[in-house]
Amino acid sequence: MKVAVVGAGWAGCAAAVEATQRGHQVTLFESARIAGGRARRVETTVAGEPLQIDNGQHILIGAYAETLRLMNRLGVDTDTSLLRIPLRLQFPNGDGLHFPNCRVPAAVQALIGILSARGWAWQDKWSLLRLARRWQASGFECPANMSVAALCEGLSPRAMAGLIEPLCVSALNTPAERASAQVFLRIMQDALFSHAGASDLLLPRTDLSALLPDAALRWLTQRGPAPRLGVRVESLTLGSEGWRIGVRNSDVQCRAETFDAVILACPPTEAVRLVETVTMPATDAAQSNDTFKAETANWITLANSLKYEALATVYTQVISSTQDATTASLSQPMLALPSSPDEPAQFVFDRGQLGGPSGQLAFVVSASQGDTAQISAQVLAQGQRRLGLPLELLQTIIEKRATFACTPNLQRPGAQIAPGLLACGDYIAGPYPATLEGAVRSGLHAAQLLD
């Protein structure tokens, strides 16, 4: 089949590679000049100097089996491009969890980590172990309308603040009081109670576009039509010969092309726009157009019902009077931070320990609220207070629709929109929240539905 994939984020790249692997002829369209979607490289300048950062500080975990498998297929050396460390949720004062560096079953590793948690009383550890045992006994299932906060009722405040809340907001980008307990349980099951190494943190040592999307583009170019960056899909027309796609390149309307199938790997709002504007030639019966609209109505309703959470990444530089910031780096590549409405960042990353410039720190504010100036000022003050480091602001990037709000009873649109028209992305119905693994799995699934 001749297949168009619209969008070169992680889902679109996965769909294009999988479809090509299955023998289809794939053309990948991307309106931006850099692939990666909401996990991509950003090239900017600060004080006249070039600065290369990401549009969000993302991490992976060892349980992301499909993402790691795709990287290996594309020839990405995961040993060098990712720093693998046991799960750490430690705060600047040293309190918190630190899983042991040993290859034992994930549940055993979690048990050791919980029992050795620094700054936790035995009551805190026991309450968490008792709760985890209940999860296992229930088969990691719970009512669909339950929130993470309700799921963890009875857990000690220290265990809640030291493990559950950081994991919930980092994985679901939704606060525990309004996050889906069922989706959270799936993450906990895969990360903490599956195979050895599943809970390991995989911290990117390169920019996010280089981590997977750039490799996907090279792989696709070697096997078929070159991916078309900087090309925006403007319209879809369904006719007797298939799907006719109208594109625009640098504000110049280009010749339309025809495909047997289309996979929409763009954001849900853009996918809805394209589905709503599907037209059929006048030679086709009006009844066909009505049938298509009836088939797609429910999908559009579900996609339009999604609510969104913002994510802010505040990039800072340690101010060093000696011009040597290496002595001012963090004790480890990633630290958890006590957070509150006035101190909104939940994590800080030392990019100097991850292949970036020395003394460059990235603060992550999941489910962020407020404008750029407010968040920047709050995080700068928080970083200087909690880390004891003099900091200057480099740049703040806010993705206002970084993820869908992963709330209880949420109905997400499916991959099948209409015959020959599919969708993929981390928002599509599936077991995972809006994560890189969720995006990759969705892309692979959409390509498999072509057969």
Side-chain angles (χ1 to χ4, degrees):
M1 295 175 64
K2 189 179 178 184
V3 179
V5 177
V6 183
W10 287 54
C13 287
V17 169
E18 180 71 10
T20 301
Q21 190 82 44
R22 289 172 171 269
H24 302 297
Q25 181 182 334
V26 178
T27 302
L28 178 61
F29 296 90
E30 170 56 53
S31 60
R33 296 289 180 180
I34 298 176
R38 284 169 289 117
R40 70 183 186 280
R41 175 176 61 249
V42 174
E43 297 171 348
T44 184
T45 57
V46 173
E49 295 295 325
L51 178 66
Q52 186 170 291
I53 53 180
D54 292 313
N55 68 325
Q57 185 70 47
H58 294 261
I59 65 172
L60 296 81
I61 62 173
Y64 285 6
E66 295 302 333
T67 302
L68 295 172
R69 189 174 294 115
L70 179 60
M71 287 181 175
N72 290 328
R73 184 193 301 182
L74 298 173
V76 176
D77 186 346
T78 55
D79 291 334
T80 58
S81 59
L82 294 167
L83 173 64
R84 179 184 283 265
I85 58 176
L87 176 65
R88 294 176 181 173
L89 287 176
Q90 289 186 292
F91 293 83
N93 65 358
D95 287 355
L97 290 166
H98 184 177
F99 282 21
N101 187 13
C102 57
R103 278 295 175 263
V104 295
V108 175
Q109 194 178 34
L111 175 63
I112 297 172
I114 292 169
L115 291 177
S116 61
R118 180 176 169 181
W120 287 32
W122 280 107
Q123 297 91 321
D124 304 318
K125 300 172 184 180
W126 175 243
S127 71
L128 181 56
L129 292 173
R130 188 173 52 195
L131 179 63
R133 183 67 189 93
R134 290 207 306 265
W135 294 346
Q136 287 181 298
S138 69
F140 293 91
E141 296 288 339
C142 71
N145 63 352
M146 180 175 282
S147 70
V148 172
L151 176 74
C152 300
E153 188 174 350
L155 185 65
S156 77
R158 188 181 299 275
M160 188 72 183
L163 177 66
I164 301 301
E165 289 176 347
L167 284 181
C168 179
V169 78
S170 63
L172 278 66
N173 197 34
T174 308
E177 61 270 15
R178 52 186 177 84
S180 167
Q182 186 57 68
V183 175
F184 180 74
L185 279 177
R186 175 57 188 268
I187 293 290
M188 296 296 284
Q189 181 181 22
D190 287 0
L192 302 184
F193 298 93
S194 58
H195 62 273
S199 63
D200 287 355
L201 299 178
L202 306 180
L203 307 181
R205 284 171 158 153
T206 182
D207 68 77
L208 294 174
S209 292
L211 190 57
L212 183 145
D214 289 351
L217 299 189
R218 290 192 297 270
W219 190 94
L220 291 167
T221 300
Q222 294 168 359
R223 291 162 176 80
R228 301 177 62 182
L229 302 181
V231 176
R232 174 180 167 83
V233 174
E234 294 281 359
S235 62
L236 296 177
T237 302
L238 179 58
S240 57
E241 296 181 355
W243 293 92
R244 193 168 178 82
I245 290 184
V247 300
R248 183 177 294 276
N249 185 358
S250 301
D251 294 327
V252 176
Q253 196 75 27
C254 301
R255 178 178 59 85
E257 301 176 56
T258 302
F259 296 88
D260 300 308
V262 177
I263 299 176
L264 299 179
C266 42
T269 51
E270 181 68 4
V272 167
R273 180 190 72 80
L274 288 171
V275 175
E276 287 181 332
T277 57
V278 170
T279 57
M280 298 184 181
T283 54
D284 288 2
Q287 183 179 358
S288 298
N289 206 352
D290 293 339
T291 300
F292 175 83
K293 292 185 181 301
E295 290 175 336
T296 59
N298 183 60
W299 192 93
I300 291 173
T301 298
L302 291 177
N304 280 334
S305 69
L306 294 173
K307 307 298 181 185
Y308 298 93
E309 299 281 1
L311 189 147
T313 306
V314 181
Y315 292 93
T316 68
Q317 180 69 41
V318 176
I319 303 172
S320 175
S321 58
T322 64
Q323 303 302 313
D324 180 10
T326 58
T327 59
S329 60
L330 305 181
S331 60
Q332 53 189 270
M334 184 188 88
L335 287 174
L337 293 171
S339 61
S340 67
D342 294 329
E343 295 186 321
Q346 298 96 1
F347 295 95
V348 58
F349 294 80
D350 186 345
R351 289 172 63 85
Q353 297 186 50
L354 297 171
S358 295
Q360 188 182 105
L361 305 181
F363 293 82
V364 175
V365 185
S366 297
S368 64
Q369 298 180 353
D371 58 25
T372 301
Q374 178 186 7
I375 292 173
S376 300
Q378 289 177 327
V379 169
L380 270 180
Q382 179 185 9
Q384 293 173 157
R385 184 181 305 113
R386 296 293 181 178
L387 303 176
L389 297 173
L391 302 172
E392 62 180 348
L393 179 68
L394 295 177
Q395 187 156 338
T396 296
I397 296 180
I398 299 178
E399 285 279 350
K400 293 184 178 180
R401 294 190 171 202
T403 68
F404 63 88
C406 192
T407 53
N409 277 329
L410 178 65
Q411 286 189 283
R412 293 150 64 179
Q416 187 82 49
I417 304 176
L421 183 61
L422 302 160
C424 64
D426 57 17
Y427 70 97
I428 293 296
Y432 273 73
T435 57
L436 297 176
E437 177 74 357
V440 168
R441 288 187 179 216
S442 175
L444 297 176
H445 178 60
Q448 291 159 6
L449 291 176
L450 293 170
D451 297 348

